[in-house]
């Protein structure tokens, strides 16, 4: 099996879907943001505060290059991993790229339910409200997610099991 990369905004379900998808595919899985933090020895929030976003994006690029060169791996990519054109191309070369897409309302609800968001993740943008931040990022990144994705899964009102089933069904279908 090749690499399957899960992409989408924060709150789209990448980390939640990766482990059960990996179990069903008899593969390993890794959260790219966790790997960045492990290698840097600090949280993403601290990386942004100490070295800035450009440094974080360099770390993200290096981690994604490494992960995408492996075999039998499910990657929960960071929400901004698709900002790098080389990374988008490498994702597609490595294997299927699954965009977990959700509505602004559902993303906001999931982000607010995630207890680790405040301590581990920087603010999405400098916008006034969280909903405006999510809407802005979705508008900005949607063309890049669409370009990178080999399949799009709408995740609103679906359980993790339903999402995994849908991905596996799509993977098993001839193109």
């Amino acid at each position: 099996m090749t690499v399957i990369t899960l992409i989408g905004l924060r709150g789209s379900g990448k980390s939640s879907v990766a482990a059960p998808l990996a179990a069903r595919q008899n593969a390993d899985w890794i959260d790219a943001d966790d790997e960045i933090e492990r290698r840097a020895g600090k949280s993403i929030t601290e990386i942004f505060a100490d070295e800035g976003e450009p440094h974080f994006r360099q770390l993200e690029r290096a981690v994604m290059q490494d992960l995408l060169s492996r075999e039998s791996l499910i990657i929960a990519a960071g929400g901004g991993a698709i900002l790098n054109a080389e990374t988008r191309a490498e994702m597609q070369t490595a294997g299927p790229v699954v965009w977990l897409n959700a509505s602004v309302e559902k993303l906001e609800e999931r982000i607010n339910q995630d207890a680790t968001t405040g301590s581990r993740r920087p603010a999405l943008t400098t916008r006034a409200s969280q909903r405006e931040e999510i809407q802005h990022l979705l508008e900005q990144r949607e063309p890049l997610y669409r370009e990178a994705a080999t399949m799009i899964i709408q995740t609103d009102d679906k359980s993790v099991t339903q999402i995994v089933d849908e991905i596996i069904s799509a993977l098993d279908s001839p193109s």
Side-chain angles (χ1 to χ4, degrees):
M1 187 199 95
T2 57
V3 173
I4 298 172
T5 307
L6 304 176
I7 61 172
L9 277 183
R10 181 186 312 168
S12 63
K14 302 178 302 281
S15 297
S16 298
V17 168
L21 178 61
R24 294 267 302 272
Q25 293 292 101
N26 197 25
D28 292 325
W29 75 277
I30 193 160
D31 182 301
D33 283 347
D34 288 349
E35 182 64 10
I36 291 166
E37 289 181 334
R38 187 188 71 72
R39 292 184 188 188
K42 55 175 99 173
S43 73
I44 291 171
T45 300
E46 291 169 324
I47 297 167
F48 267 70
D50 296 346
E51 288 102 9
E53 184 174 359
H55 179 73
F56 170 77
R57 295 295 171 203
Q58 288 175 343
L59 293 172
E60 181 176 57
R61 171 76 182 122
V63 165
M64 289 302 294
Q65 266 186 304
D66 175 38
L67 297 179
L68 290 165
S69 70
R70 299 185 188 179
E71 303 231 348
S72 298
L73 185 66
I74 310 295
I75 302 170
I82 48 81
L83 295 173
N84 184 291
E86 292 171 334
T87 300
R88 290 193 306 274
E90 289 167 4
M91 286 175 181
Q92 291 177 328
T93 300
V97 182
V98 182
W99 177 18
L100 300 181
N101 192 12
S103 67
V104 171
E105 296 75 23
K106 186 57 77 173
L107 292 168
E108 182 178 38
E109 176 186 314
R110 291 177 183 160
I111 289 168
N112 288 333
Q113 290 173 350
D114 182 355
T116 66
T117 292
S119 63
R120 288 191 55 210
R121 304 285 190 254
L124 297 168
T125 68
T126 57
R127 304 242 177 236
S129 77
Q130 184 178 43
R131 184 165 292 196
E132 286 176 341
E133 289 185 16
I134 295 166
Q135 182 66 47
H136 172 75
L137 279 182
L138 193 56
E139 289 169 2
Q140 181 185 54
R141 294 179 181 175
E142 194 251 354
L144 302 176
Y145 289 132
R146 196 168 294 288
E147 175 190 322
T150 57
M151 90 178 59
I152 301 170
I153 306 290
Q154 296 296 333
T155 65
D156 283 15
D157 305 318
K158 290 181 186 168
S159 70
V160 168
T161 301
Q162 289 171 315
I163 295 165
V164 170
D165 288 346
E166 195 171 331
I167 292 169
I168 289 177
S169 176
L171 291 171
D172 289 344
S173 298
S175 319

